[in-house]
Amino acid sequence: MPIRLLDPVLVDRIAAGEVVERPAAAAKELIENAIDAGARRIEVAIEAGGRRLIRVIDDGAGMSGDDLSLAVERHATSKLPTDDLLAIDTLGFRGEALPSIGSVARLTITSRNGSTPGSSITVDAGRKSSVRPAATERGTRVEVFDLFSATPARLKFLKTDRTEAAAVADQIKRLALAHPAIRFILSSDDGMMLDYSAQSDDEVGFEARAIQVLGPDARGNLLHVHGVREDVEIRGLAGLPTFHRATASHVYLMVNGRPVRDRLIVGAVRAAYSDALPSGRHPVVALDIRCPARMVDVNVHPAKTEVRFRDSGLVRSLIVNALRDAIGQAGHRATPLGGLRTLDAMRPMQAPRFDRTRFTQSHWASSASPRFPEEAPAQQGFSEAAQAAFATAPSADVRFAPIVEANSASDFPLGAARAQLHDNFIVAQTSDGLVIVDQHAAHERIVYEKLKAERAAHGVKRQIMLIPEIIDLDPAQAARLLEHAPQLSEAGLVIESFGPGAVSITEIPALLAGGPIKTMVLDLVDGLSEWGDARSLESRIDAILSRIACHGSVRAGRRLKPEEMNALLRTMEATPFAGQCNHGRPTYVELKLADIERLFGRR
C-alpha cells in the first residue's frame, strides 16, 4: 500500500480524538483559554451534557479579527512567545484544541478586544468561514454545537447526559480551585449547577474557594499545608484523616495553577495518609505545587493532565513530608461530623410519652425501688458519688502521661473522665460538651506512634524473653515469617527457626511485655500474606509496628481507674494522629453541649 499524506481535516479529527474525548475535555480547553486571556468572570452553559451545546463566555482580553482568523488554524497559538517548549507559563500547550473541536462539531467564536470592533468566525466540521463583524462586548464567546456530529461513531462512547454534565462540573471545580480570584458559573438545560463567587488571590481566598468546591462539611476539617525545598513550594489544604471519602474525586492537585491527575503526586498523597485512613477510603486534599517552568514538562499528555518533574524524588518527598507535618501538628483532632451524625441518629422523630397505666403494682411493690421510672436517674445517674465506684477497679498496667486532677482536666480539649461504659468507652466532660473515647482504639494509636518514634530515634526497645515462645505454624507460614525476619527485627520482634513448621520468639518490643505474643504472631502471618511485595520496605515495617501496637494496647473490656482514664486523655492530646486508630477509624466522638440541648428541645 503506497504512503500518502492525510487530509488536513482528517488529521484534525484524529487530533480531536486525543484532546477532545468527551464534552468535559472540550469545556476544559475553552475555559483554560479564557483564564489565559485574563478573564475574571467565566460563564459556562451546556445542553444535553455538553453534547448538544457548550457555551463559554468570558470578560478577558478578547481578540481582533486577524487573531480570530488565526485562532482556528492548526499550529497557531498565543501561548508560546518563543519556540522554547520548556518555558510555558500559561495553561497551554499540548492540548491546543480549537481546530480539533471545529473539525468534529460546529464552532462559533465571537470576540472583541479593547481597540477593535467585534468579529465572529465559524468552523463547521473543519470548514472555516470568513471573519465577519459582530456586535459584542469586550471578551470572548465560544459556542460548540453538536459535538462529534462529524464523527458519529464517537457519540456511542459518551455516557448519559447526567454523567457527562457531572464531568463538566468536575473540570470546572478543579479549574475554580486553581484560580480562586475568578468567578465561575455553570448552568445546564436542567438548571443552575455551580456559582462560585470570586475570592481574594491569597491563602484566605484559597480556603474560601475550597469550601465552595468541597462543600460546607469541609469547614473546620481542613489543615493548612506548606512546604518548601529548593525551588519547589507546596501550599494547600488537607483534610483531617477522619474526614475522608469513598472515592478519590476529592483529591485536587495543581501544578503552577494547572489541574493535573499525576500518578506521582497521587502516590505521594496516598503515602502521606497510608496509616491514617480506613481501608478503601480516600483523603480530601487540595494542593498547589509551584516551581519554575523549566522544572516541569507539561507536554507529556495531549490533554495536559499529566506532568513530568525534572526531580520527581524531591517533589514526592516534599509532598509526603508537608502533608505528614500538617496532619501531625493537628495532634488528636478529629472531624466533628461523627458527633453530629451521632446526634442525628439519637434525635427522635417524636418524643415518647410516658404512660403510667402500663405499670402494674409490681413495679413499685418493693419500698427499695423508685416509685416511678422517671425517679430512677436520680438514684442511678452520673452523680459525683457514683464516681467513687471507679476507685475499686483493678489497676491496669498502662504507661500513660502524668495524672491531672479531674476538676481542672475539663479545661483540656478532651476534658475530664466521668465514667467508663461497657469497660471500653470513656465518657469525659469538656468545658462545652462531652467526649466519648474508644479506649482500645486510642491506646492503639498511642502505642503505634511511640513505636515509630523509638524506631526513628534509636530503634524499637526490645526485651529478651527468659523462655522463648515456640509457635507452631504450617511450613509455608513459618517460611514467610522467617523471610521477613529483618523487618520484624527492626520492629522489635526477633524470630528464629525452630525446626519444620515452627518459629521461636526470642525478643519482643518492650511495650508488648506481657501481651498476647502468639495471637500477634498469627496476625502478622496473615498480614504478610496480604501485603506480598507491593509495599515498600518502609511501609511494611510501619504495618508490622501497627499490628504490634494493636496487640500491645489496652484491650476492650478492661476496666480503668479514673486517673488512668484521665492520663489516657492527656496522652491522646499530646500524640499526633490520635484522632484515629491505626486502621483509620475515629478514636473519639465529641458532642457539643449546645447540640445536646437542642436534642432535648432546650434550644
Side-chain angles (χ1 to χ4, degrees), residues 342-391:
T342 301
L343 289 168
D344 287 340
M346 294 169 60
R347 187 173 287 111
M349 295 298 293
Q350 183 176 1
R353 185 177 179 183
F354 174 63
D355 185 359
R356 297 192 182 202
T357 63
R358 295 177 57 193
F359 288 84
T360 64
Q361 186 67 26
S362 62
H363 284 93
W364 48 79
S366 171
S367 59
S369 301
R371 187 176 178 192
F372 296 110
E374 63 262 38
E375 296 175 8
Q379 297 187 15
Q380 302 171 5
F382 284 8
S383 64
E384 291 300 323
Q387 301 305 311
F390 291 100

Side-chain angles (χ1 to χ4, degrees), residues 448-460:
Y448 179 39
E449 292 302 322
K450 186 168 184 178
L451 286 171
K452 287 200 299 184
E454 283 183 358
R455 176 174 172 264
H458 42 66
V460 176

Side-chain angles (χ1 to χ4, degrees), residues 510-538:
L511 284 173
L512 198 61
I517 305 299
K518 183 175 181 178
T519 303
M520 180 195 68
V521 171
L522 293 175
D523 186 35
L524 281 172
V525 170
D526 293 337
L528 294 174
S529 300
E530 296 171 4
W531 305 333
D533 297 325
R535 292 195 175 199
S536 66
L537 175 62
E538 191 75 15

Side-chain angles (χ1 to χ4, degrees), residues 425-445:
F425 299 102
I426 299 171
V427 178
Q429 177 182 330
T430 64
S431 59
D432 61 348
L434 64 88
V435 167
I436 305 173
V437 177
D438 182 331
Q439 69 185 38
H440 170 64
H443 195 235
E444 181 181 57
R445 171 59 73 173

Side-chain angles (χ1 to χ4, degrees), residues 128-424:
K128 185 178 78 169
S129 72
S130 59
V131 177
R132 55 190 179 277
T136 185
E137 298 179 350
R138 181 179 183 272
T140 302
R141 175 193 184 103
V142 182
E143 293 174 300
V144 180
F145 299 95
D146 301 324
L147 187 64
F148 300 131
S149 59
T151 54
R154 292 197 60 84
L155 291 173
K156 298 178 181 178
F157 293 91
L158 297 184
K159 301 185 184 301
T160 65
D161 291 350
R162 184 183 297 274
T163 300
E164 295 297 339
V168 174
D170 182 67
Q171 290 288 0
I172 293 177
K173 287 178 180 180
R174 295 181 184 279
L175 287 163
L177 197 49
H179 302 276
I182 302 175
R183 181 179 182 183
F184 288 86
I185 301 173
L186 171 63
S187 61
S188 73
D189 43 358
D190 292 334
M192 180 67 67
M193 295 181 67
L194 300 173
D195 188 353
Y196 298 146
S197 58
Q199 305 296 324
S200 57
D201 197 8
D202 55 18
E203 191 174 84
V204 175
F206 182 80
E207 182 172 5
R209 174 57 57 84
I211 292 172
Q212 287 179 328
V213 172
L214 298 174
D217 281 355
R219 194 182 304 276
N221 289 304
L222 299 176
L223 308 170
H224 286 274
V225 179
H226 183 236
V228 180
R229 187 172 299 175
E230 297 182 12
D231 293 329
V232 183
E233 181 179 19
I234 178 173
R235 286 185 179 275
L237 298 164
L240 290 166
T242 46
F243 182 63
H244 43 69
R245 293 290 184 262
T247 68
S249 60
H250 284 70
V251 176
Y252 294 88
L253 307 172
M254 296 147 277
V255 177
N256 292 339
R258 180 192 303 273
V260 298
R261 299 177 186 268
D262 187 76
R263 293 181 181 179
L264 169 75
I265 307 176
V266 170
V269 171
R270 287 176 179 168
Y273 280 88
S274 60
D275 62 355
L277 286 180
S279 176
R281 304 294 291 185
H282 300 268
V284 176
V285 171
L287 299 179
D288 188 10
I289 302 168
R290 297 284 176 172
C291 64
R294 292 186 175 276
M295 291 189 67
V296 58
D297 183 0
V298 300
N299 281 308
V300 177
H301 191 277
K304 303 170 296 182
T305 56
E306 297 178 13
V307 295
R308 182 178 292 120
F309 293 98
R310 190 174 66 191
D311 189 344
S312 58
L314 181 149
V315 174
R316 186 184 189 281
S317 176
L318 176 61
I319 294 171
V320 172
N321 290 332
L323 284 172
R324 284 184 173 171
D325 286 347
I327 299 171
Q329 290 172 12
H332 70 278
R333 279 184 59 194
T335 176
L337 295 179
L340 296 176
R341 294 190 184 108
T342 301
L343 289 168
D344 287 340
M346 294 169 60
R347 187 173 287 111
M349 295 298 293
Q350 183 176 1
R353 185 177 179 183
F354 174 63
D355 185 359
R356 297 192 182 202
T357 63
R358 295 177 57 193
F359 288 84
T360 64
Q361 186 67 26
S362 62
H363 284 93
W364 48 79
S366 171
S367 59
S369 301
R371 187 176 178 192
F372 296 110
E374 63 262 38
E375 296 175 8
Q379 297 187 15
Q380 302 171 5
F382 284 8
S383 64
E384 291 300 323
Q387 301 305 311
F390 291 100
T392 63
S395 176
D397 183 17
V398 185
R399 298 168 179 84
F400 286 143
I403 296 172
V404 180
E405 290 296 328
N407 290 337
S408 63
S410 60
D411 296 329
F412 285 85
L414 295 181
R418 296 303 187 200
Q420 184 185 28
L421 307 180
H422 300 289
D423 292 342
N424 185 47

